[in-house]
Amino acid sequence: MIGTIGNILIYVAFATSIFAGIGYFLYSSRDDERLYRISNWLFGIKGALIIAASGLLLYLILNHQFQYYYVYNYTSSDLQLKYLISALWGGQEGSFMVWILCSFFIGLGLMKWTEKPYRGPVLFFLTLTQIFLISMIAGVSIGDLQLGASPFRTLAQEMPNAPFIQANPDFVPSEGKGLNDLLKSPWMMIHPPVLFLGFAMMTIPYCFAMAALWKEKYNEWVHPAMPWTLGANVALLTAIFLGGYWAYVTLSFGGYWAWDPVENASFVPWLLGTAGIHTMVIQKKSSTSQKASIVFAILAYVAIVYETFLTRSGILADSSVHSFVDLGLYNQLLAFMFVVTAVGIGMLIYRYKDLPRQNKESKLLSREFMTFAGAMVLFLIGFVIIIGTSSPIIGRLFEANPTPPEISFYNEWTMPLAILAAFMTVIGQFLFWKRQDAESLARDLTWPVIISCVLTLATMMLGNVRNFYYLLYILAGWFALVGNGFMMVRMMFKNPKLIGGALTHVGFGVLLLGILASSAYNGTLLDLSTRNYNEAIAAGKVTDDEGIPVRQKVNFLELKLNEPKVVNGKYKVTYEGYTLANQERPGQQQYKIKFEPVDGNGRQFTLYPEVYPMLSSSSANRIEWSVDPDVYTTFMSDIYMYVAGSSYVEQKNEQVKNNSPDNSNMQPASASQTTPDQQSDSTQVQTISLGRGESLNMGGYQFDFSDYTPADPESLPDSTLIAVRADLDVIHRATGVRDTLNPLFAIYKKDGKSWTYAPPMQVPGRDMFVQFTSVDPSTGKIELKVHGIEGEPQDEWVLIVAEEKPFVSVVWLGTFILMAGFSVSIFRHWDRDRKKN
């Protein structure tokens, strides 16, 4: 019933948006205020219907209505509330709903703040995009045509030919498939909504550009469009940061950017939007670049729709692990992209001859030329990225199964352009605020150049940088930082509201420096013996059994429980055990790795990397493991770590491989449990030795000995000479159940002789007994006999990959400065237009 209501709400919203679009079109043509009011009401009703539908979908998710495919596919009953809520946008259909809602709320803002003659056309084009977006979730069948995929479709509708559906059409699963483990991150709870807010806001400059072409108002449109464009760029930049940080702290590739199509889906529109901001600024200042401003406004939104097509149509399913599966939206997304592009380019061509022409060419050393050139560099970077992202599609013209380009393709093409852009930001800022010739510009740039060169030389010496290409990159970063910093200080004394552009460019310089330092100068943390082994490999001195030289270096560190190792001559690293937790991911292990500075200077810290089985991709005879890294952050460097293997993981893999039962999963004993003396001779008895604070694994259990406890003398005979109990924790590793035992060891006098008394203690609920049999006075170690357990004592170990990444914090700092610069500009332009209106 709820699903039916949800579908009806979407159907009515779809129809209402069509009528609203017609109303805005007629209003734009006839200037009838009554049509405008009616269209606004229709637009508002459409938004209210989508809000109601979203509320119903969230209700189904929170109440575990697994008969609905969306709920079944993206949730499970054990999900925490925060991840149940984030499942609303965790799937393709739900994410379209969030995108629609963001566009709706922005439309309300446009109704209030957009003046004639733009408001009618702007709202018409916004509603046109809403029609396409709502069609993606309509789920309407028209003959053989399927329009969209409804988030309210049931399992029976999604899989009508499944045997269990044919046997029982009303079948309701008892459990859902659950949310992707990689999405169980607080960062992914906020990243998608911010991203869709950016997508929605980037629609607005497109709509204003279309309105300008429609109404032949080619100059004034940039004033109301500028704050929206800046806001869209801030939202997209925030989403890029959140996605990058999520990748850094969640994925094991050790970075924050991998040039994946989903990453590029937000980055390319941001680049084109930033290019458009530059040309819009020139248009406001000099009444030039009208064509370029309109073109970039069109391209920025076309890029969003195109990247949406690439990532949601299934066309890149074999090229991107982040690509959505195909829901049958290929043709709709293709039509969406075609209409948006055709309308934009078509209207531009139609009005092209009427667009203002520049009477004379701009001088090379002019703010108009330099700002436009900067915009073109940003466009070229975006163009390179789109070519790389589209290469699996383009490659099909030449081969059957083309592969996506390597990361090096993007780095090699974008790095020179980024260097050029860095130099141009400084020259552009000095030309923007003051008309200059070559001599005056050289004079103004003297100190920024000198300081930048000194800082580059210092970086080269301190960082041991010898790569000439990297040195040029570093010089560009310092020049962007110092040069724009000079200009920002000047603007602060003149008018602090004008620092937005310079502050943004300072952030760009900081970002460049952070990217190079954090990605090109990582250092792996290894002990001395492993480093010597790697040096021997590099020298060709290591061969395998067949005499072939070994080329693969070791990049991991092996640690045994409570046996510290010194790495890089800097840290003493100790593995202190692991714990099992099932709160977010069943079978998740959290490892405890302690770092202590060797020289005693600096802070001691502990990292807790995690390993967990990917249940969705594991099988009865194979476990697919995934990792969750941990990071210790300082301004100078990060210690980045993940687990590459462990004794526990190896043990579980062997159990699954051999298809043998887990010996640790013993059933609770009955009331007629036997004592060790009554057990058969076949019962295994293991002897283990533990010192204070030590742990040992055996037969699926972990034994932790913390300390001694004095025994109660009242419970012992008067002849007792010494009595002590051991504080012992016995942990069932598969379930994490911890039982605390205090076995007794006593020495007493009888008949003139010394006797020991060590009664066995039963582990609650299990056929297992522990006896405290002796103490070594010289070492303080205790001896335990464990009855009823299989398996030999095992060394507990872990393999970790740990890297020291310099100045990752500088990357985040540069991003924040960029956000701050855009935000300052937003408030300045918004305030100026408000006062003007």
Side-chain angles (χ1 to χ4, degrees), residues 1-76:
M1 181 62 181
I2 293 179
T4 302
I5 295 173
N7 283 322
I8 292 173
L9 291 173
I10 293 175
Y11 300 156
V12 177
F14 183 53
T16 306
S17 62
I18 293 175
F19 288 123
I22 295 172
Y24 284 127
F25 180 85
L26 294 175
Y27 163 70
S28 301
S29 303
R30 302 177 184 178
D31 198 21
D32 185 343
E33 288 296 325
R34 187 170 60 89
L35 284 172
Y36 178 66
R37 289 192 296 271
I38 293 173
S39 300
N40 284 349
W41 273 104
L42 290 171
F43 189 91
I45 291 171
K46 177 262 303 181
L49 293 170
I50 294 297
I51 291 174
S54 302
L56 288 179
L57 181 58
L58 184 60
Y59 173 83
L60 295 176
I61 290 172
L62 295 178
N63 287 275
H64 310 303
Q65 301 294 303
F66 297 126
Q67 66 269 34
Y68 294 96
Y69 180 74
Y70 189 90
V71 181
Y72 166 78
N73 204 35
Y74 296 107
T75 72
S76 58

Coordinates of all heavy atoms in Angstrom, one line a residue, residues 1-76:
M1 N 0.8 -1.2 0.0 CA 0.0 0.0 0.0 C 0.9 1.3 0.0 O 0.6 2.2 -0.8 CB -0.9 0.0 1.2 CG -1.8 1.2 1.3 SD -3.0 1.3 -0.1 CE -3.9 2.8 0.3
I2 N 1.9 1.3 0.9 CA 2.8 2.4 0.9 C 3.5 2.6 -0.4 O 3.7 3.7 -0.9 CB 3.7 2.3 2.1 CG1 3.0 2.3 3.4 CG2 4.8 3.4 2.1 CD1 3.9 2.2 4.7
G3 N 4.0 1.5 -1.0 CA 4.6 1.6 -2.2 C 3.8 2.2 -3.3 O 4.2 2.9 -4.2
T4 N 2.5 1.8 -3.3 CA 1.6 2.3 -4.3 C 1.4 3.8 -4.1 O 1.4 4.6 -5.1 CB 0.2 1.6 -4.2 OG1 0.4 0.2 -4.3 CG2 -0.8 2.1 -5.2
I5 N 1.2 4.2 -2.9 CA 1.1 5.7 -2.6 C 2.4 6.4 -3.1 O 2.3 7.5 -3.7 CB 0.9 5.9 -1.1 CG1 -0.5 5.3 -0.7 CG2 0.9 7.4 -0.8 CD1 -0.7 5.4 0.8
G6 N 3.5 5.8 -2.8 CA 4.8 6.5 -3.2 C 4.9 6.6 -4.7 O 5.3 7.6 -5.3
N7 N 4.5 5.6 -5.5 CA 4.5 5.6 -6.9 C 3.5 6.7 -7.4 O 3.8 7.5 -8.4 CB 4.1 4.3 -7.5 CG 5.2 3.3 -7.5 OD1 6.4 3.6 -7.7 ND2 4.9 2.0 -7.2
I8 N 2.3 6.8 -6.8 CA 1.3 7.8 -7.2 C 1.9 9.2 -7.0 O 1.8 10.1 -7.9 CB 0.0 7.6 -6.5 CG1 -0.6 6.3 -6.9 CG2 -0.9 8.8 -6.7 CD1 -1.9 5.9 -6.1
L9 N 2.6 9.4 -5.9 CA 3.2 10.7 -5.6 C 4.2 11.1 -6.7 O 4.2 12.2 -7.1 CB 3.9 10.7 -4.2 CG 3.0 10.6 -3.0 CD1 3.8 10.4 -1.7 CD2 2.1 11.8 -2.9
I10 N 5.0 10.1 -7.1 CA 6.0 10.4 -8.2 C 5.3 10.7 -9.5 O 5.7 11.6 -10.2 CB 7.0 9.2 -8.3 CG1 7.8 9.1 -7.0 CG2 7.9 9.4 -9.5 CD1 8.8 8.0 -7.0
Y11 N 4.3 9.9 -9.8 CA 3.5 10.1 -11.1 C 3.0 11.5 -11.1 O 3.1 12.3 -12.1 CB 2.4 9.1 -11.2 CG 2.8 7.7 -11.3 CD1 1.9 6.7 -10.9 CD2 4.1 7.3 -11.7 CE1 2.3 5.3 -10.9 CE2 4.5 6.0 -11.7 CZ 3.6 5.0 -11.3 OH 4.0 3.7 -11.3
V12 N 2.3 11.9 -10.0 CA 1.7 13.2 -10.0 C 2.7 14.3 -10.0 O 2.6 15.4 -10.7 CB 0.8 13.4 -8.7 CG1 0.2 14.8 -8.6 CG2 -0.3 12.3 -8.7
A13 N 3.9 14.1 -9.3 CA 4.9 15.1 -9.4 C 5.5 15.3 -10.8 O 5.8 16.4 -11.2 CB 6.1 14.7 -8.4
F14 N 5.6 14.1 -11.5 CA 6.1 14.2 -12.9 C 5.1 15.0 -13.8 O 5.6 15.9 -14.5 CB 6.2 12.8 -13.4 CG 6.8 12.7 -14.8 CD1 8.0 13.3 -15.1 CD2 6.1 11.9 -15.8 CE1 8.5 13.2 -16.4 CE2 6.6 11.8 -17.0 CZ 7.8 12.5 -17.4
A15 N 3.8 14.7 -13.6 CA 2.8 15.5 -14.4 C 2.8 16.9 -14.0 O 2.8 17.8 -14.9 CB 1.5 14.8 -14.2
T16 N 2.9 17.2 -12.7 CA 2.9 18.6 -12.2 C 4.1 19.4 -12.7 O 4.0 20.6 -13.1 CB 2.8 18.6 -10.7 OG1 1.8 17.8 -10.2 CG2 2.7 20.0 -10.2
S17 N 5.2 18.7 -12.8 CA 6.4 19.4 -13.3 C 6.3 19.8 -14.8 O 6.7 20.8 -15.2 CB 7.7 18.6 -13.0 OG 7.6 17.4 -13.7
I18 N 5.6 18.9 -15.5 CA 5.4 19.2 -16.9 C 4.5 20.4 -17.1 O 4.8 21.3 -17.9 CB 4.8 18.0 -17.6 CG1 5.8 16.8 -17.7 CG2 4.3 18.3 -19.0 CD1 5.2 15.5 -18.3
F19 N 3.4 20.5 -16.3 CA 2.5 21.6 -16.4 C 3.2 22.9 -15.9 O 3.0 24.0 -16.4 CB 1.3 21.3 -15.5 CG 0.3 20.3 -16.2 CD1 0.0 19.2 -15.5 CD2 -0.2 20.5 -17.4 CE1 -0.9 18.2 -16.0 CE2 -1.0 19.6 -18.0 CZ -1.4 18.4 -17.3
A20 N 4.0 22.8 -14.9 CA 4.8 23.9 -14.4 C 5.7 24.4 -15.5 O 5.8 25.7 -15.7 CB 5.6 23.6 -13.1
G21 N 6.4 23.5 -16.2 CA 7.3 23.9 -17.2 C 6.5 24.6 -18.4 O 7.0 25.7 -18.9
I22 N 5.4 24.1 -18.7 CA 4.5 24.8 -19.7 C 4.1 26.2 -19.3 O 4.2 27.2 -20.0 CB 3.3 23.9 -20.0 CG1 3.7 22.6 -20.7 CG2 2.3 24.7 -20.9 CD1 2.6 21.6 -20.9
G23 N 3.7 26.3 -18.0 CA 3.3 27.6 -17.4 C 4.5 28.6 -17.5 O 4.3 29.8 -17.9
Y24 N 5.7 28.2 -17.1 CA 6.8 29.1 -17.1 C 7.2 29.5 -18.6 O 7.5 30.7 -18.8 CB 8.0 28.5 -16.5 CG 8.0 28.4 -15.0 CD1 8.2 27.2 -14.3 CD2 7.7 29.6 -14.2 CE1 8.1 27.2 -12.9 CE2 7.7 29.5 -12.8 CZ 7.9 28.3 -12.2 OH 7.8 28.3 -10.8
F25 N 7.0 28.6 -19.5 CA 7.3 28.9 -20.9 C 6.3 30.0 -21.4 O 6.7 30.9 -22.1 CB 7.2 27.6 -21.7 CG 7.5 27.9 -23.2 CD1 8.8 27.9 -23.7 CD2 6.4 28.1 -24.1 CE1 9.0 28.1 -25.0 CE2 6.6 28.3 -25.4 CZ 8.0 28.3 -25.9
L26 N 5.0 29.7 -21.1 CA 4.0 30.7 -21.5 C 4.2 32.1 -20.9 O 4.0 33.1 -21.5 CB 2.6 30.2 -21.2 CG 2.2 28.9 -22.0 CD1 0.8 28.4 -21.6 CD2 2.2 29.2 -23.5
Y27 N 4.5 32.0 -19.6 CA 4.8 33.3 -18.9 C 5.9 34.0 -19.5 O 5.9 35.3 -19.7 CB 5.0 33.0 -17.4 CG 5.7 34.2 -16.7 CD1 4.9 35.3 -16.4 CD2 7.0 34.1 -16.2 CE1 5.5 36.4 -15.8 CE2 7.6 35.2 -15.6 CZ 6.8 36.3 -15.4 OH 7.4 37.4 -14.7
S28 N 7.0 33.3 -19.8 CA 8.2 34.0 -20.4 C 7.8 34.6 -21.8 O 8.4 35.5 -22.2 CB 9.3 32.9 -20.6 OG 9.6 32.4 -19.3
S29 N 6.8 34.0 -22.5 CA 6.5 34.5 -23.8 C 5.4 35.6 -23.7 O 5.4 36.5 -24.5 CB 5.9 33.3 -24.6 OG 6.9 32.3 -24.7
R30 N 4.5 35.5 -22.7 CA 3.4 36.5 -22.7 C 3.5 37.5 -21.5 O 2.7 38.4 -21.5 CB 2.1 35.7 -22.5 CG 1.8 34.7 -23.6 CD 0.6 33.9 -23.3 NE 0.3 32.8 -24.3 CZ -0.7 32.0 -24.3 NH1 -1.6 32.0 -23.3 NH2 -0.8 31.0 -25.2
D31 N 4.4 37.3 -20.6 CA 4.5 38.2 -19.4 C 3.2 38.3 -18.7 O 2.9 39.4 -18.3 CB 5.1 39.5 -19.9 CG 5.7 40.3 -18.8 OD1 6.0 39.7 -17.7 OD2 5.8 41.6 -18.9
D32 N 2.5 37.2 -18.4 CA 1.3 37.3 -17.7 C 1.6 36.8 -16.2 O 1.9 35.6 -16.0 CB 0.3 36.3 -18.3 CG -1.1 36.4 -17.6 OD1 -1.2 36.9 -16.5 OD2 -2.1 35.9 -18.3
E33 N 1.5 37.7 -15.3 CA 1.8 37.4 -13.9 C 1.0 36.3 -13.3 O 1.4 35.6 -12.4 CB 1.7 38.7 -13.0 CG 2.7 39.7 -13.3 CD 4.1 39.3 -12.9 OE1 4.2 38.5 -11.9 OE2 5.1 39.6 -13.6
R34 N -0.3 36.2 -13.8 CA -1.1 35.1 -13.3 C -0.5 33.7 -13.6 O -0.5 32.8 -12.8 CB -2.5 35.2 -13.9 CG -3.5 34.3 -13.3 CD -4.9 34.7 -13.8 NE -5.0 34.6 -15.3 CZ -5.3 33.6 -16.0 NH1 -5.6 32.4 -15.4 NH2 -5.4 33.6 -17.3
L35 N 0.1 33.6 -14.8 CA 0.7 32.4 -15.2 C 1.9 32.1 -14.3 O 2.2 30.9 -14.0 CB 1.1 32.5 -16.7 CG 0.1 32.3 -17.8 CD1 0.6 32.6 -19.1 CD2 -0.5 30.9 -17.7
Y36 N 2.6 33.1 -14.0 CA 3.8 33.0 -13.1 C 3.4 32.4 -11.8 O 4.0 31.5 -11.2 CB 4.5 34.3 -13.0 CG 5.7 34.3 -12.1 CD1 6.9 33.5 -12.4 CD2 5.8 35.0 -10.9 CE1 8.0 33.5 -11.6 CE2 6.9 34.9 -10.0 CZ 8.0 34.2 -10.4 OH 9.1 34.1 -9.6
R37 N 2.3 33.0 -11.2 CA 1.9 32.5 -9.9 C 1.4 31.1 -9.9 O 1.7 30.3 -9.0 CB 0.8 33.4 -9.3 CG 1.3 34.8 -8.9 CD 0.2 35.6 -8.2 NE -1.0 35.8 -9.0 CZ -1.1 36.9 -9.7 NH1 -0.2 37.9 -9.7 NH2 -2.2 37.1 -10.4
I38 N 0.7 30.7 -11.0 CA 0.2 29.4 -11.1 C 1.3 28.4 -11.3 O 1.4 27.3 -10.6 CB -0.8 29.3 -12.3 CG1 -2.1 30.1 -12.1 CG2 -1.1 27.8 -12.6 CD1 -3.0 30.1 -13.3
S39 N 2.3 28.8 -12.1 CA 3.5 27.9 -12.3 C 4.3 27.7 -11.0 O 4.8 26.6 -10.7 CB 4.4 28.5 -13.4 OG 3.7 28.7 -14.6
N40 N 4.4 28.8 -10.2 CA 5.1 28.7 -8.9 C 4.3 27.7 -8.0 O 5.0 26.9 -7.3 CB 5.2 30.0 -8.2 CG 6.2 30.9 -8.9 OD1 7.0 30.5 -9.7 ND2 6.3 32.2 -8.5
W41 N 3.0 27.8 -8.0 CA 2.2 26.8 -7.2 C 2.5 25.4 -7.6 O 2.6 24.5 -6.8 CB 0.8 27.2 -7.2 CG 0.4 28.2 -6.2 CD1 0.1 29.5 -6.4 CD2 0.2 27.9 -4.8 NE1 -0.2 30.1 -5.2 CE2 -0.1 29.2 -4.2 CE3 0.3 26.8 -4.0 CZ2 -0.4 29.3 -2.8 CZ3 0.1 26.9 -2.6 CH2 -0.3 28.1 -2.0
L42 N 2.4 25.2 -8.9 CA 2.7 23.9 -9.5 C 4.1 23.4 -9.1 O 4.3 22.2 -8.8 CB 2.5 23.9 -11.0 CG 1.0 24.1 -11.5 CD1 1.0 24.3 -13.0 CD2 0.2 22.9 -11.1
F43 N 5.1 24.3 -9.2 CA 6.4 23.9 -8.9 C 6.5 23.5 -7.4 O 7.2 22.5 -7.0 CB 7.4 25.1 -9.1 CG 8.8 24.7 -9.0 CD1 9.6 24.3 -10.1 CD2 9.5 24.9 -7.8 CE1 10.9 24.0 -10.0 CE2 10.8 24.6 -7.7 CZ 11.5 24.2 -8.8
G44 N 5.8 24.3 -6.5 CA 5.8 24.0 -5.1 C 5.1 22.7 -4.8 O 5.6 21.9 -3.9
I45 N 4.0 22.4 -5.5 CA 3.3 21.1 -5.2 C 4.2 20.0 -5.7 O 4.2 18.9 -5.0 CB 2.0 21.1 -6.0 CG1 1.0 22.2 -5.4 CG2 1.3 19.7 -6.1 CD1 -0.2 22.4 -6.3
K46 N 4.8 20.1 -6.8 CA 5.7 19.0 -7.2 C 6.8 18.8 -6.2 O 7.1 17.6 -5.8 CB 6.4 19.5 -8.5 CG 7.4 18.5 -9.1 CD 8.9 18.9 -8.7 CE 9.2 20.3 -9.3 NZ 10.5 20.7 -9.0
G47 N 7.4 19.8 -5.6 CA 8.4 19.6 -4.6 C 7.8 19.0 -3.3 O 8.5 18.1 -2.7
A48 N 6.6 19.4 -2.9 CA 6.0 18.8 -1.8 C 5.7 17.3 -2.0 O 5.9 16.4 -1.1 CB 4.7 19.5 -1.4
L49 N 5.3 16.9 -3.2 CA 5.1 15.5 -3.5 C 6.4 14.7 -3.4 O 6.4 13.5 -2.9 CB 4.4 15.4 -4.9 CG 3.0 16.0 -5.1 CD1 2.6 16.0 -6.5 CD2 2.0 15.1 -4.3
I50 N 7.5 15.2 -3.9 CA 8.7 14.5 -3.9 C 9.2 14.4 -2.4 O 9.8 13.4 -2.0 CB 9.8 15.2 -4.8 CG1 9.4 15.1 -6.2 CG2 11.2 14.6 -4.5 CD1 9.3 13.7 -6.8
I51 N 9.0 15.4 -1.6 CA 9.3 15.4 -0.2 C 8.5 14.2 0.5 O 9.1 13.4 1.2 CB 9.1 16.7 0.5 CG1 10.1 17.8 0.0 CG2 9.2 16.6 2.0 CD1 9.8 19.2 0.5
A52 N 7.3 14.2 0.1 CA 6.4 13.1 0.7 C 6.9 11.7 0.3 O 6.9 10.8 1.1 CB 5.0 13.3 0.3
A53 N 7.2 11.6 -1.0 CA 7.7 10.3 -1.5 C 9.0 9.9 -0.8 O 9.2 8.8 -0.5 CB 7.8 10.4 -3.0
S54 N 9.9 10.9 -0.7 CA 11.1 10.6 0.0 C 10.9 10.2 1.5 O 11.6 9.3 2.0 CB 12.1 11.8 0.0 OG 12.3 12.3 -1.3
G55 N 9.9 10.8 2.1 CA 9.6 10.4 3.5 C 9.1 9.0 3.6 O 9.4 8.3 4.5
L56 N 8.2 8.6 2.6 CA 7.7 7.3 2.6 C 8.8 6.3 2.3 O 8.9 5.2 3.0 CB 6.7 7.1 1.4 CG 5.3 7.8 1.7 CD1 4.4 7.6 0.5 CD2 4.7 7.3 3.0
L57 N 9.8 6.6 1.4 CA 10.9 5.7 1.2 C 11.8 5.5 2.4 O 12.2 4.4 2.8 CB 11.7 6.2 0.0 CG 12.9 5.3 -0.4 CD1 12.5 3.9 -0.8 CD2 13.7 5.9 -1.5
L58 N 12.0 6.6 3.1 CA 12.7 6.5 4.4 C 12.0 5.7 5.4 O 12.6 5.0 6.2 CB 13.0 8.0 4.9 CG 13.9 8.1 6.1 CD1 15.3 7.5 5.9 CD2 14.0 9.5 6.6
Y59 N 10.7 5.8 5.5 CA 9.9 5.0 6.4 C 10.0 3.6 6.1 O 10.2 2.7 7.0 CB 8.4 5.5 6.3 CG 7.5 4.6 7.1 CD1 7.3 4.8 8.5 CD2 6.8 3.5 6.5 CE1 6.4 4.0 9.2 CE2 5.9 2.7 7.2 CZ 5.8 2.9 8.6 OH 4.9 2.1 9.3
L60 N 10.0 3.2 4.8 CA 10.2 1.8 4.5 C 11.6 1.3 4.9 O 11.7 0.1 5.3 CB 9.9 1.6 3.0 CG 8.5 1.9 2.4 CD1 8.5 1.8 0.9 CD2 7.5 1.0 3.0
I61 N 12.6 2.1 4.7 CA 13.9 1.8 5.0 C 14.0 1.5 6.5 O 14.6 0.5 7.0 CB 14.9 2.8 4.5 CG1 15.0 2.8 3.0 CG2 16.3 2.6 5.1 CD1 15.8 4.0 2.4
L62 N 13.5 2.5 7.3 CA 13.7 2.4 8.8 C 12.9 1.3 9.4 O 13.2 0.8 10.5 CB 13.2 3.7 9.4 CG 14.1 5.0 9.1 CD1 13.5 6.2 9.7 CD2 15.5 4.8 9.5
N63 N 11.9 0.8 8.7 CA 11.0 -0.3 9.2 C 11.3 -1.6 8.5 O 10.6 -2.6 8.6 CB 9.6 0.1 9.0 CG 9.1 1.1 10.0 OD1 8.8 0.8 11.2 ND2 9.1 2.4 9.6
H64 N 12.4 -1.7 7.8 CA 12.9 -2.9 7.2 C 11.9 -3.6 6.3 O 11.7 -4.8 6.5 CB 13.4 -3.9 8.3 CG 14.4 -3.2 9.3 ND1 15.5 -2.6 8.9 CD2 14.3 -3.1 10.6 CE1 16.2 -2.1 10.0 NE2 15.4 -2.4 11.0
Q65 N 11.3 -2.9 5.4 CA 10.3 -3.5 4.5 C 11.0 -4.1 3.3 O 11.1 -3.5 2.2 CB 9.3 -2.4 4.1 CG 8.5 -1.8 5.2 CD 7.6 -2.7 6.0 OE1 6.8 -3.4 5.3 NE2 7.8 -2.9 7.3
F66 N 11.5 -5.3 3.5 CA 12.4 -5.9 2.5 C 11.6 -6.4 1.3 O 12.3 -7.0 0.4 CB 13.2 -7.1 3.2 CG 14.1 -6.6 4.3 CD1 14.1 -7.2 5.5 CD2 15.1 -5.6 4.0 CE1 14.9 -6.7 6.5 CE2 15.9 -5.2 5.0 CZ 15.9 -5.7 6.3
Q67 N 10.3 -6.4 1.3 CA 9.6 -6.8 0.1 C 9.8 -5.7 -1.0 O 9.5 -6.0 -2.2 CB 8.1 -6.9 0.4 CG 7.4 -5.7 0.8 CD 7.3 -5.4 2.3 OE1 8.3 -5.8 3.0 NE2 6.2 -4.9 2.8
Y68 N 10.3 -4.5 -0.7 CA 10.6 -3.5 -1.7 C 12.1 -3.7 -2.1 O 13.0 -3.8 -1.2 CB 10.4 -2.1 -1.1 CG 8.9 -1.9 -0.9 CD1 8.4 -2.0 0.4 CD2 8.1 -1.5 -1.9 CE1 7.0 -1.8 0.6 CE2 6.7 -1.3 -1.7 CZ 6.2 -1.5 -0.4 OH 4.9 -1.3 -0.2
Y69 N 12.3 -3.7 -3.3 CA 13.7 -4.0 -3.9 C 14.7 -3.1 -3.4 O 15.8 -3.5 -3.0 CB 13.6 -4.1 -5.4 CG 15.0 -4.4 -6.0 CD1 15.5 -5.7 -6.0 CD2 15.8 -3.4 -6.6 CE1 16.7 -6.0 -6.5 CE2 17.0 -3.7 -7.1 CZ 17.5 -5.0 -7.1 OH 18.7 -5.3 -7.6
Y70 N 14.4 -1.8 -3.3 CA 15.4 -0.8 -2.9 C 15.8 -1.0 -1.5 O 17.0 -1.0 -1.1 CB 14.8 0.6 -3.1 CG 15.8 1.7 -2.9 CD1 16.6 2.2 -3.9 CD2 16.1 2.3 -1.6 CE1 17.5 3.2 -3.7 CE2 17.0 3.3 -1.4 CZ 17.7 3.7 -2.5 OH 18.7 4.7 -2.3
V71 N 14.8 -1.3 -0.6 CA 15.1 -1.5 0.8 C 15.9 -2.8 0.9 O 16.9 -2.9 1.7 CB 13.8 -1.6 1.6 CG1 14.1 -1.9 3.1 CG2 13.0 -0.4 1.4
Y72 N 15.5 -3.9 0.2 CA 16.2 -5.1 0.3 C 17.7 -5.0 -0.3 O 18.6 -5.6 0.3 CB 15.5 -6.2 -0.6 CG 16.3 -7.4 -0.9 CD1 16.5 -8.4 0.1 CD2 16.9 -7.6 -2.1 CE1 17.2 -9.5 -0.2 CE2 17.6 -8.7 -2.4 CZ 17.8 -9.7 -1.5 OH 18.5 -10.8 -1.8
N73 N 17.9 -4.2 -1.3 CA 19.2 -4.1 -2.0 C 20.2 -3.3 -1.2 O 21.4 -3.5 -1.4 CB 19.0 -3.6 -3.4 CG 20.1 -4.0 -4.3 OD1 20.6 -5.1 -4.3 ND2 20.4 -3.1 -5.3
Y74 N 19.7 -2.3 -0.4 CA 20.7 -1.4 0.2 C 20.7 -1.4 1.7 O 21.4 -0.6 2.3 CB 20.4 0.0 -0.3 CG 20.7 0.1 -1.8 CD1 19.6 0.3 -2.7 CD2 21.9 0.1 -2.4 CE1 19.8 0.4 -4.1 CE2 22.1 0.2 -3.7 CZ 21.1 0.3 -4.6 OH 21.3 0.4 -5.9
T75 N 19.9 -2.2 2.4 CA 19.8 -2.1 3.8 C 19.7 -3.5 4.4 O 19.5 -4.5 3.7 CB 18.6 -1.3 4.3 OG1 17.4 -2.1 4.1 CG2 18.5 0.0 3.6
S76 N 19.9 -3.6 5.7 CA 19.7 -4.8 6.5 C 19.2 -4.4 7.9 O 19.4 -3.3 8.3 CB 21.0 -5.7 6.5 OG 22.0 -4.9 7.1

